[in-house]
Short mmCIF file of all heavy atoms in Angstrom, two decimals:
data_model
loop_
_atom_site.label_atom_id
_atom_site.label_comp_id
_atom_site.label_asym_id
_atom_site.label_seq_id
_atom_site.Cartn_x
_atom_site.Cartn_y
_atom_site.Cartn_z
N MET A 1 0.87 -1.25 0.00
CA MET A 1 -0.04 0.03 0.01
C MET A 1 0.85 1.28 -0.07
O MET A 1 1.94 1.29 0.68
CB MET A 1 -0.88 0.05 1.18
CG MET A 1 -1.85 1.19 1.31
SD MET A 1 -3.12 1.07 2.71
CE MET A 1 -4.27 -0.10 1.89
N ALA A 2 0.50 2.29 -0.67
CA ALA A 2 1.11 3.54 -0.79
C ALA A 2 1.19 4.20 0.55
O ALA A 2 0.38 4.02 1.48
CB ALA A 2 0.63 4.43 -1.84
N ARG A 3 2.25 5.01 0.64
CA ARG A 3 2.40 5.80 1.92
C ARG A 3 2.19 7.33 1.59
O ARG A 3 2.59 7.78 0.62
CB ARG A 3 3.71 5.68 2.49
CG ARG A 3 4.04 4.23 3.04
CD ARG A 3 3.56 4.10 4.39
NE ARG A 3 3.68 2.76 4.83
CZ ARG A 3 3.33 2.36 6.06
NH1 ARG A 3 2.88 3.31 7.00
NH2 ARG A 3 3.40 1.17 6.51
N CYS A 4 1.61 8.06 2.47
CA CYS A 4 1.27 9.50 2.31
C CYS A 4 2.73 10.21 2.40
O CYS A 4 3.45 10.03 3.35
CB CYS A 4 0.42 9.94 3.46
SG CYS A 4 0.19 11.76 3.43
N PRO A 5 2.98 11.07 1.38
CA PRO A 5 4.24 11.67 1.32
C PRO A 5 4.38 12.79 2.48
O PRO A 5 5.47 13.25 2.74
CB PRO A 5 4.27 12.30 0.03
CG PRO A 5 2.93 12.40 -0.43
CD PRO A 5 2.13 11.21 0.24
N ILE A 6 3.19 13.11 3.04
CA ILE A 6 3.29 14.20 4.15
C ILE A 6 3.46 13.54 5.55
O ILE A 6 4.25 13.95 6.23
CB ILE A 6 1.98 14.97 4.06
CG1 ILE A 6 1.76 15.63 2.76
CG2 ILE A 6 1.93 16.00 5.19
CD1 ILE A 6 2.87 16.67 2.33
N CYS A 7 2.59 12.58 5.79
CA CYS A 7 2.65 12.04 7.22
C CYS A 7 2.98 10.55 7.26
O CYS A 7 3.07 10.04 8.30
CB CYS A 7 1.32 12.27 7.87
SG CYS A 7 -0.03 11.25 7.22
N ASP A 8 3.30 9.97 6.12
CA ASP A 8 3.74 8.55 6.10
C ASP A 8 2.66 7.61 6.46
O ASP A 8 2.97 6.38 6.79
CB ASP A 8 5.01 8.34 6.88
CG ASP A 8 5.79 7.20 6.34
OD1 ASP A 8 5.83 6.91 5.17
OD2 ASP A 8 6.37 6.44 7.13
N ALA A 9 1.47 8.00 6.60
CA ALA A 9 0.40 7.06 6.97
C ALA A 9 0.10 6.22 5.69
O ALA A 9 0.36 6.62 4.62
CB ALA A 9 -0.85 7.87 7.36
N ALA A 10 -0.68 5.10 5.90
CA ALA A 10 -1.05 4.27 4.73
C ALA A 10 -2.14 5.04 3.94
O ALA A 10 -2.98 5.66 4.57
CB ALA A 10 -1.62 3.01 5.27
N VAL A 11 -2.01 4.96 2.59
CA VAL A 11 -2.93 5.52 1.67
C VAL A 11 -3.82 4.67 1.11
O VAL A 11 -3.43 3.60 0.59
CB VAL A 11 -2.24 6.39 0.73
CG1 VAL A 11 -3.07 7.03 -0.40
CG2 VAL A 11 -1.32 7.45 1.32
N GLU A 12 -5.18 4.88 1.19
CA GLU A 12 -6.13 4.00 0.51
C GLU A 12 -5.91 4.09 -1.04
O GLU A 12 -5.41 5.05 -1.53
CB GLU A 12 -7.50 4.57 0.79
CG GLU A 12 -7.93 4.36 2.28
CD GLU A 12 -7.90 2.88 2.63
OE1 GLU A 12 -8.47 2.17 1.97
OE2 GLU A 12 -7.43 2.54 3.79
N PRO A 13 -6.36 2.96 -1.73
CA PRO A 13 -6.15 2.97 -3.18
C PRO A 13 -6.93 4.17 -3.82
O PRO A 13 -7.93 4.66 -3.30
CB PRO A 13 -6.83 1.67 -3.61
CG PRO A 13 -6.78 0.80 -2.36
CD PRO A 13 -6.97 1.77 -1.17
N ARG A 14 -6.42 4.58 -4.95
CA ARG A 14 -6.91 5.75 -5.62
C ARG A 14 -8.48 5.61 -5.86
O ARG A 14 -9.21 6.64 -5.69
CB ARG A 14 -6.22 5.88 -7.02
CG ARG A 14 -6.53 7.09 -7.83
CD ARG A 14 -5.94 7.03 -9.19
NE ARG A 14 -5.94 8.39 -9.67
CZ ARG A 14 -4.91 9.16 -9.71
NH1 ARG A 14 -3.81 8.77 -9.22
NH2 ARG A 14 -4.98 10.35 -10.31
N SER A 15 -8.91 4.39 -6.09
CA SER A 15 -10.41 4.26 -6.50
C SER A 15 -11.25 4.55 -5.21
O SER A 15 -12.44 4.93 -5.36
CB SER A 15 -10.60 2.87 -6.92
OG SER A 15 -10.19 1.88 -5.94
N ALA A 16 -10.70 4.42 -3.97
CA ALA A 16 -11.42 4.63 -2.79
C ALA A 16 -11.02 5.93 -2.08
O ALA A 16 -11.42 6.13 -0.96
CB ALA A 16 -11.27 3.47 -1.85
N ASN A 17 -10.12 6.70 -2.63
CA ASN A 17 -9.62 7.82 -1.99
C ASN A 17 -9.42 9.08 -2.77
O ASN A 17 -8.53 9.20 -3.64
CB ASN A 17 -8.24 7.41 -1.39
CG ASN A 17 -7.44 8.49 -0.77
OD1 ASN A 17 -8.04 9.56 -0.41
ND2 ASN A 17 -6.24 8.30 -0.42
N PRO A 18 -10.33 9.97 -2.70
CA PRO A 18 -10.39 11.22 -3.55
C PRO A 18 -9.11 12.11 -3.27
O PRO A 18 -8.71 12.96 -4.14
CB PRO A 18 -11.63 11.92 -3.18
CG PRO A 18 -12.03 11.35 -1.78
CD PRO A 18 -11.48 9.97 -1.72
N SER A 19 -8.44 11.82 -2.19
CA SER A 19 -7.20 12.69 -1.86
C SER A 19 -5.92 12.00 -2.30
O SER A 19 -4.77 12.53 -2.15
CB SER A 19 -7.11 12.86 -0.28
OG SER A 19 -8.30 13.54 0.06
N TYR A 20 -6.02 10.79 -3.00
CA TYR A 20 -4.90 10.09 -3.48
C TYR A 20 -3.86 10.97 -4.21
O TYR A 20 -4.44 11.87 -4.87
CB TYR A 20 -5.36 8.87 -4.41
CG TYR A 20 -4.18 8.08 -4.90
CD1 TYR A 20 -3.84 6.87 -4.15
CD2 TYR A 20 -3.44 8.30 -5.98
CE1 TYR A 20 -2.94 5.96 -4.52
CE2 TYR A 20 -2.38 7.54 -6.40
CZ TYR A 20 -2.14 6.39 -5.65
OH TYR A 20 -1.16 5.55 -6.12
N PRO A 21 -2.61 11.06 -4.06
CA PRO A 21 -1.88 10.03 -3.23
C PRO A 21 -1.54 10.34 -1.86
O PRO A 21 -0.76 9.88 -1.28
CB PRO A 21 -0.52 10.06 -4.17
CG PRO A 21 -0.35 11.49 -4.53
CD PRO A 21 -1.78 11.98 -4.66
N PHE A 22 -2.43 11.19 -1.34
CA PHE A 22 -2.25 11.52 0.14
C PHE A 22 -3.33 10.76 0.89
O PHE A 22 -4.29 10.25 0.34
CB PHE A 22 -2.54 13.03 0.34
CG PHE A 22 -1.48 13.81 -0.60
CD1 PHE A 22 -1.87 14.36 -1.70
CD2 PHE A 22 -0.19 14.02 -0.14
CE1 PHE A 22 -1.02 15.14 -2.55
CE2 PHE A 22 0.73 14.68 -0.92
CZ PHE A 22 0.32 15.17 -2.19
N CYS A 23 -3.11 10.62 2.18
CA CYS A 23 -4.05 9.84 3.07
C CYS A 23 -5.37 10.57 3.27
O CYS A 23 -6.46 9.93 3.37
CB CYS A 23 -3.38 9.56 4.42
SG CYS A 23 -3.12 10.98 5.39
N THR A 24 -5.29 11.87 3.33
CA THR A 24 -6.54 12.64 3.60
C THR A 24 -6.44 14.01 2.78
O THR A 24 -5.30 14.39 2.38
CB THR A 24 -6.74 13.03 4.97
OG1 THR A 24 -5.57 13.82 5.38
CG2 THR A 24 -6.72 11.86 5.93
N ALA A 25 -7.54 14.63 2.74
CA ALA A 25 -7.58 15.97 2.02
C ALA A 25 -6.64 16.99 2.81
O ALA A 25 -6.06 17.85 2.20
CB ALA A 25 -8.98 16.54 1.91
N ARG A 26 -6.55 16.78 4.11
CA ARG A 26 -5.67 17.70 4.88
C ARG A 26 -4.24 17.61 4.40
O ARG A 26 -3.66 18.61 4.13
CB ARG A 26 -5.80 17.24 6.26
CG ARG A 26 -5.06 18.21 7.22
CD ARG A 26 -5.34 17.91 8.79
NE ARG A 26 -4.53 18.78 9.58
CZ ARG A 26 -3.37 18.57 10.03
NH1 ARG A 26 -2.76 17.29 9.59
NH2 ARG A 26 -2.58 19.25 10.79
N CYS A 27 -3.76 16.38 4.18
CA CYS A 27 -2.32 16.22 3.78
C CYS A 27 -2.20 16.70 2.39
O CYS A 27 -1.18 17.24 2.02
CB CYS A 27 -1.96 14.73 3.85
SG CYS A 27 -1.57 14.32 5.58
N LYS A 28 -3.16 16.54 1.57
CA LYS A 28 -3.15 17.05 0.24
C LYS A 28 -2.96 18.54 0.09
O LYS A 28 -2.27 19.09 -0.52
CB LYS A 28 -4.45 16.54 -0.63
CG LYS A 28 -4.34 16.83 -2.06
CD LYS A 28 -5.63 16.20 -2.74
CE LYS A 28 -5.50 16.21 -4.27
NZ LYS A 28 -6.46 15.52 -4.88
N THR A 29 -3.81 19.14 1.07
CA THR A 29 -3.77 20.58 1.15
C THR A 29 -2.48 21.06 1.63
O THR A 29 -1.87 22.08 1.19
CB THR A 29 -4.83 21.09 2.11
OG1 THR A 29 -6.07 20.63 1.57
CG2 THR A 29 -4.88 22.64 2.14
N ILE A 30 -1.90 20.41 2.59
CA ILE A 30 -0.40 20.70 3.13
C ILE A 30 0.56 20.68 2.00
O ILE A 30 1.28 21.61 1.72
CB ILE A 30 -0.15 19.72 4.32
CG1 ILE A 30 -0.90 20.11 5.48
CG2 ILE A 30 1.35 19.94 4.68
CD1 ILE A 30 -0.86 18.92 6.58
N ASP A 31 0.43 19.59 1.21
CA ASP A 31 1.36 19.48 0.10
C ASP A 31 1.16 20.55 -1.00
O ASP A 31 2.10 21.16 -1.41
CB ASP A 31 1.29 18.01 -0.56
CG ASP A 31 2.41 17.78 -1.48
OD1 ASP A 31 3.42 17.53 -1.08
OD2 ASP A 31 2.14 18.01 -2.74
N LEU A 32 -0.04 20.82 -1.24
CA LEU A 32 -0.45 21.84 -2.18
C LEU A 32 0.20 23.24 -1.71
O LEU A 32 0.85 23.94 -2.47
CB LEU A 32 -1.97 21.93 -2.23
CG LEU A 32 -2.40 23.19 -3.16
CD1 LEU A 32 -2.09 22.85 -4.63
CD2 LEU A 32 -3.88 23.39 -3.05
N GLY A 33 0.04 23.51 -0.46
CA GLY A 33 0.62 24.76 0.16
C GLY A 33 2.03 24.77 -0.01
O GLY A 33 2.63 25.84 -0.27
N LYS A 34 2.66 23.70 0.25
CA LYS A 34 4.20 23.53 0.27
C LYS A 34 4.61 24.00 -1.25
O LYS A 34 5.54 24.77 -1.38
CB LYS A 34 4.63 22.23 0.43
CG LYS A 34 4.81 22.01 2.01
CD LYS A 34 5.00 20.49 2.28
CE LYS A 34 6.40 19.93 1.59
NZ LYS A 34 6.61 18.57 2.10
N TRP A 35 4.13 23.29 -2.27
CA TRP A 35 4.62 23.53 -3.64
C TRP A 35 4.13 24.93 -4.18
O TRP A 35 4.79 25.48 -4.98
CB TRP A 35 4.47 22.47 -4.50
CG TRP A 35 3.11 21.99 -5.10
CD1 TRP A 35 2.51 20.79 -4.56
CD2 TRP A 35 2.31 22.53 -6.02
NE1 TRP A 35 1.31 20.73 -5.29
CE2 TRP A 35 1.04 21.73 -6.10
CE3 TRP A 35 2.40 23.71 -6.80
CZ2 TRP A 35 0.13 21.99 -7.08
CZ3 TRP A 35 1.41 23.99 -7.80
CH2 TRP A 35 0.30 23.09 -7.78
N LEU A 36 2.96 25.34 -3.70
CA LEU A 36 2.53 26.75 -4.09
C LEU A 36 3.52 27.80 -3.56
O LEU A 36 3.90 28.73 -4.21
CB LEU A 36 1.04 27.05 -3.58
CG LEU A 36 0.01 26.39 -4.47
CD1 LEU A 36 -1.31 26.72 -3.89
CD2 LEU A 36 0.04 26.79 -5.87
N ASN A 37 3.90 27.53 -2.25
CA ASN A 37 4.78 28.49 -1.67
C ASN A 37 6.17 28.40 -2.28
O ASN A 37 6.91 29.50 -2.49
CB ASN A 37 4.91 28.31 -0.18
CG ASN A 37 3.49 28.62 0.43
OD1 ASN A 37 2.81 29.38 -0.02
ND2 ASN A 37 3.34 28.05 1.57
N GLU A 38 6.69 27.18 -2.51
CA GLU A 38 8.13 27.06 -2.89
C GLU A 38 8.27 27.18 -4.39
O GLU A 38 9.31 27.89 -4.80
CB GLU A 38 8.61 25.65 -2.43
CG GLU A 38 8.69 25.61 -0.88
CD GLU A 38 8.88 24.26 -0.48
OE1 GLU A 38 9.21 23.28 -1.33
OE2 GLU A 38 8.79 24.03 0.84
N GLU A 39 7.41 26.59 -5.14
CA GLU A 39 7.64 26.64 -6.58
C GLU A 39 6.25 26.82 -7.32
O GLU A 39 5.71 25.93 -7.76
CB GLU A 39 8.32 25.32 -7.06
CG GLU A 39 9.65 25.02 -6.55
CD GLU A 39 10.28 23.86 -7.15
OE1 GLU A 39 10.77 23.80 -8.23
OE2 GLU A 39 10.20 22.81 -6.52
N TYR A 40 5.83 28.02 -7.31
CA TYR A 40 4.52 28.25 -7.84
C TYR A 40 4.36 27.84 -9.22
O TYR A 40 5.09 28.17 -10.03
CB TYR A 40 4.16 29.79 -7.69
CG TYR A 40 2.73 30.04 -8.03
CD1 TYR A 40 1.81 29.98 -7.08
CD2 TYR A 40 2.38 30.49 -9.29
CE1 TYR A 40 0.44 30.23 -7.43
CE2 TYR A 40 1.19 30.77 -9.61
CZ TYR A 40 0.09 30.63 -8.68
OH TYR A 40 -1.20 30.87 -9.03
N GLY A 41 3.32 27.02 -9.44
CA GLY A 41 3.09 26.57 -10.72
C GLY A 41 3.60 25.17 -11.10
O GLY A 41 3.39 24.64 -12.17
N ILE A 42 4.44 24.64 -10.30
CA ILE A 42 5.13 23.42 -10.57
C ILE A 42 4.40 22.34 -9.85
O ILE A 42 4.32 22.31 -8.59
CB ILE A 42 6.60 23.42 -10.04
CG1 ILE A 42 7.38 24.61 -10.61
CG2 ILE A 42 7.28 22.08 -10.53
CD1 ILE A 42 7.50 24.60 -12.17
N PRO A 43 3.83 21.34 -10.51
CA PRO A 43 3.01 20.30 -9.89
C PRO A 43 3.97 19.41 -9.01
O PRO A 43 5.14 19.34 -9.32
CB PRO A 43 2.45 19.53 -11.06
CG PRO A 43 2.57 20.36 -12.30
CD PRO A 43 3.80 21.20 -11.99
N VAL A 44 3.36 18.67 -8.21
CA VAL A 44 4.10 17.67 -7.34
C VAL A 44 4.64 16.69 -8.32
O VAL A 44 4.05 16.04 -9.00
CB VAL A 44 3.08 16.92 -6.45
CG1 VAL A 44 3.81 16.00 -5.51
CG2 VAL A 44 2.27 17.97 -5.62
N PRO A 45 6.02 16.58 -8.27
CA PRO A 45 6.71 15.65 -9.28
C PRO A 45 6.27 14.26 -9.29
O PRO A 45 6.27 13.64 -10.39
CB PRO A 45 8.16 15.94 -8.78
CG PRO A 45 8.21 17.01 -8.06
CD PRO A 45 7.01 17.25 -7.27
N ASP A 46 5.96 13.66 -8.16
CA ASP A 46 5.72 12.21 -8.05
C ASP A 46 4.30 11.87 -8.34
O ASP A 46 3.86 10.73 -8.36
CB ASP A 46 6.14 11.68 -6.62
CG ASP A 46 7.65 11.63 -6.42
OD1 ASP A 46 8.35 11.71 -7.50
OD2 ASP A 46 8.07 11.68 -5.24
N ALA A 47 3.39 12.91 -8.35
CA ALA A 47 2.00 12.68 -8.59
C ALA A 47 1.61 12.68 -9.98
O ALA A 47 2.18 13.19 -10.81
CB ALA A 47 1.21 13.77 -7.93
N GLU A 48 0.78 11.65 -10.30
CA GLU A 48 0.31 11.51 -11.65
C GLU A 48 -0.97 12.36 -11.77
O GLU A 48 -2.13 11.94 -11.41
CB GLU A 48 0.01 10.05 -11.88
CG GLU A 48 1.26 9.20 -12.01
CD GLU A 48 0.95 7.71 -12.20
OE1 GLU A 48 -0.18 7.49 -12.79
OE2 GLU A 48 1.81 7.00 -11.87
N LEU A 49 -0.81 13.58 -12.12
CA LEU A 49 -2.00 14.51 -12.15
C LEU A 49 -2.80 14.34 -13.39
O LEU A 49 -2.30 14.36 -14.52
CB LEU A 49 -1.43 15.95 -12.01
CG LEU A 49 -0.87 16.28 -10.72
CD1 LEU A 49 -0.27 17.60 -10.78
CD2 LEU A 49 -1.82 16.16 -9.44
N ASP A 50 -4.05 14.23 -13.23
CA ASP A 50 -5.00 14.41 -14.44
C ASP A 50 -6.03 15.49 -14.23
O ASP A 50 -5.78 16.22 -13.09
CB ASP A 50 -5.73 13.04 -14.64
CG ASP A 50 -6.51 12.50 -13.38
OD1 ASP A 50 -6.98 13.39 -12.67
OD2 ASP A 50 -6.68 11.36 -13.33
N ASP A 51 -6.94 15.70 -14.98
CA ASP A 51 -7.75 16.82 -14.80
C ASP A 51 -8.53 16.78 -13.60
O ASP A 51 -8.76 17.78 -12.95
CB ASP A 51 -8.78 16.80 -16.03
CG ASP A 51 -8.07 17.37 -17.30
OD1 ASP A 51 -6.98 17.86 -17.25
OD2 ASP A 51 -8.73 17.17 -18.36
N GLU A 52 -8.95 15.45 -13.20
CA GLU A 52 -9.63 15.45 -11.97
C GLU A 52 -8.76 15.89 -10.75
O GLU A 52 -9.27 16.62 -9.83
CB GLU A 52 -9.97 13.98 -11.71
CG GLU A 52 -11.07 13.74 -10.70
CD GLU A 52 -11.54 12.30 -10.73
OE1 GLU A 52 -12.29 11.90 -11.60
OE2 GLU A 52 -11.02 11.52 -9.73
N ASP A 53 -7.56 15.59 -10.72
CA ASP A 53 -6.62 15.93 -9.67
C ASP A 53 -6.47 17.44 -9.64
O ASP A 53 -6.44 18.12 -8.60
CB ASP A 53 -5.20 15.25 -9.86
CG ASP A 53 -5.27 13.77 -9.50
OD1 ASP A 53 -6.12 13.41 -8.62
OD2 ASP A 53 -4.65 13.08 -10.24
N LEU A 54 -6.21 18.01 -10.77
CA LEU A 54 -6.06 19.45 -10.82
C LEU A 54 -7.34 20.18 -10.36
O LEU A 54 -7.24 21.23 -9.55
CB LEU A 54 -5.87 19.94 -12.40
CG LEU A 54 -4.49 19.39 -12.89
CD1 LEU A 54 -4.43 19.71 -14.39
CD2 LEU A 54 -3.31 20.01 -12.12
N ASP A 55 -8.53 19.64 -10.58
CA ASP A 55 -9.73 20.23 -10.06
C ASP A 55 -9.73 20.10 -8.49
O ASP A 55 -10.10 21.03 -7.73
CB ASP A 55 -11.00 19.54 -10.58
CG ASP A 55 -11.26 19.91 -12.08
OD1 ASP A 55 -10.73 20.92 -12.44
OD2 ASP A 55 -12.14 19.30 -12.65
N ALA A 56 -9.21 18.98 -8.02
CA ALA A 56 -9.24 18.71 -6.62
C ALA A 56 -8.19 19.64 -5.92
O ALA A 56 -8.34 20.20 -4.84
CB ALA A 56 -8.83 17.27 -6.33
N LEU A 57 -7.10 19.94 -6.64
CA LEU A 57 -6.06 20.86 -6.14
C LEU A 57 -6.64 22.29 -6.05
O LEU A 57 -6.45 23.01 -5.08
CB LEU A 57 -4.81 20.92 -7.05
CG LEU A 57 -3.91 19.73 -6.95
CD1 LEU A 57 -2.85 19.67 -8.13
CD2 LEU A 57 -3.29 19.64 -5.50
N ALA A 58 -7.42 22.66 -6.99
CA ALA A 58 -8.01 24.00 -7.03
C ALA A 58 -8.96 24.08 -5.91
O ALA A 58 -9.06 25.08 -5.17
CB ALA A 58 -8.66 24.31 -8.33
N GLU A 59 -9.82 23.00 -5.70
CA GLU A 59 -10.68 22.92 -4.51
C GLU A 59 -9.94 22.97 -3.22
O GLU A 59 -10.34 23.78 -2.34
CB GLU A 59 -11.55 21.68 -4.59
CG GLU A 59 -12.66 21.67 -3.64
CD GLU A 59 -13.43 20.21 -3.70
OE1 GLU A 59 -13.25 19.58 -4.76
OE2 GLU A 59 -14.06 19.91 -2.82
N ALA A 60 -8.86 22.24 -3.15
CA ALA A 60 -8.11 22.29 -1.94
C ALA A 60 -7.51 23.68 -1.62
O ALA A 60 -7.54 24.10 -0.43
CB ALA A 60 -6.99 21.31 -2.00
N ALA A 61 -7.15 24.39 -2.69
CA ALA A 61 -6.58 25.71 -2.51
C ALA A 61 -7.63 26.60 -1.80
O ALA A 61 -7.44 27.46 -1.08
CB ALA A 61 -6.05 26.24 -3.82
N SER A 62 -8.91 26.49 -2.43
CA SER A 62 -9.89 27.39 -1.98
C SER A 62 -10.31 27.02 -0.53
O SER A 62 -10.51 27.85 0.28
CB SER A 62 -11.18 27.27 -2.84
OG SER A 62 -11.80 25.91 -2.83
N LYS A 63 -10.31 25.69 -0.11
CA LYS A 63 -10.52 25.32 1.22
C LYS A 63 -9.40 25.82 2.09
O LYS A 63 -9.71 26.18 3.28
CB LYS A 63 -10.62 23.71 1.31
CG LYS A 63 -11.97 23.19 0.83
CD LYS A 63 -11.95 21.72 0.91
CE LYS A 63 -13.29 21.17 0.40
NZ LYS A 63 -13.23 19.77 0.22
N LYS A 64 -8.21 25.76 1.63
CA LYS A 64 -7.07 26.27 2.45
C LYS A 64 -7.25 27.65 2.83
O LYS A 64 -7.11 28.08 4.02
CB LYS A 64 -5.79 26.07 1.71
CG LYS A 64 -4.60 26.44 2.53
CD LYS A 64 -3.23 26.22 1.78
CE LYS A 64 -2.09 26.66 2.55
NZ LYS A 64 -1.17 27.48 1.92
N SER A 65 -7.67 28.51 1.90
CA SER A 65 -7.85 29.86 2.21
C SER A 65 -8.94 30.07 3.12
O SER A 65 -8.93 31.01 4.02
CB SER A 65 -7.88 30.74 0.87
OG SER A 65 -9.18 30.23 0.18
N GLU A 66 -9.96 29.17 3.05
CA GLU A 66 -11.05 29.31 4.04
C GLU A 66 -10.55 29.01 5.43
O GLU A 66 -10.88 29.56 6.35
CB GLU A 66 -12.19 28.35 3.61
CG GLU A 66 -13.03 28.89 2.45
CD GLU A 66 -14.09 27.82 2.09
OE1 GLU A 66 -14.45 26.89 2.79
OE2 GLU A 66 -14.57 28.01 0.92
N ASP A 67 -9.74 27.90 5.43
CA ASP A 67 -9.23 27.52 6.77
C ASP A 67 -8.43 28.66 7.50
O ASP A 67 -8.45 28.73 8.69
CB ASP A 67 -8.28 26.27 6.62
CG ASP A 67 -9.07 25.02 6.27
OD1 ASP A 67 -10.32 24.98 6.44
OD2 ASP A 67 -8.50 24.13 5.83
N MET A 68 -7.78 29.32 6.71
CA MET A 68 -6.79 30.40 7.16
C MET A 68 -7.70 31.43 7.89
O MET A 68 -7.19 32.30 8.67
CB MET A 68 -5.93 30.95 6.24
CG MET A 68 -4.89 29.93 5.83
SD MET A 68 -3.90 30.48 4.35
CE MET A 68 -2.94 31.76 5.14
N ARG A 69 -8.90 31.51 7.53
CA ARG A 69 -9.74 32.62 8.09
C ARG A 69 -10.45 32.17 9.45
O ARG A 69 -10.87 33.04 10.19
CB ARG A 69 -10.92 33.02 7.15
CG ARG A 69 -10.42 33.96 6.00
CD ARG A 69 -11.66 34.39 5.31
NE ARG A 69 -11.36 34.19 3.85
CZ ARG A 69 -12.17 33.40 3.16
NH1 ARG A 69 -13.19 32.86 3.60
NH2 ARG A 69 -11.80 33.21 1.90
N HIS A 70 -10.28 30.86 9.73
CA HIS A 70 -10.87 30.37 11.00
C HIS A 70 -9.98 30.69 12.21
O HIS A 70 -8.83 30.65 12.02
CB HIS A 70 -11.17 28.87 10.83
CG HIS A 70 -12.29 28.62 9.99
ND1 HIS A 70 -13.58 29.28 10.08
CD2 HIS A 70 -12.45 27.74 9.00
CE1 HIS A 70 -14.32 28.75 9.08
NE2 HIS A 70 -13.60 27.86 8.36
ZN1 ZN B 1 -1.07 11.94 5.36
#
């Protein structure tokens, strides 16, 4: 089973995990924030991004900005 690149937890298979390759949406958002801050516009190198993932990243980015307001 894959491991989350953020927290090293076990990651559910892609078919059962909308946050794949991360364990949760939280870790996905953490990773998104990392690469947005460090290398804006450069996707996560190890991730196989498709359109669905890019949509999810955009969604995570909007959720992240909401979280920062709490
Ligand atoms: Zn994780």
Side-chain angles (χ1 to χ4, degrees):
M1 183 171 280
R3 293 273 173 181
C4 176
I6 300 301
C7 70
D8 203 36
V11 175
E12 293 297 316
R14 189 185 194 98
S15 59
N17 178 11
S19 299
Y20 188 92
F22 304 97
C23 66
T24 61
R26 184 172 177 273
C27 283
K28 189 171 190 171
T29 302
I30 291 170
D31 189 79
L32 175 71
K34 277 171 61 178
W35 67 256
L36 281 179
N37 289 337
E38 292 170 9
E39 296 185 77
Y40 187 80
I42 307 295
V44 182
D46 291 336
E48 295 177 22
L49 293 174
D50 56 28
D51 288 346
E52 193 174 286
D53 289 322
L54 292 173
D55 286 346
L57 284 172
E59 186 183 342
S62 65
K63 282 181 182 164
K64 184 180 179 228
S65 60
E66 283 176 15
D67 288 345
M68 290 171 74
R69 276 187 239 120
H70 290 309

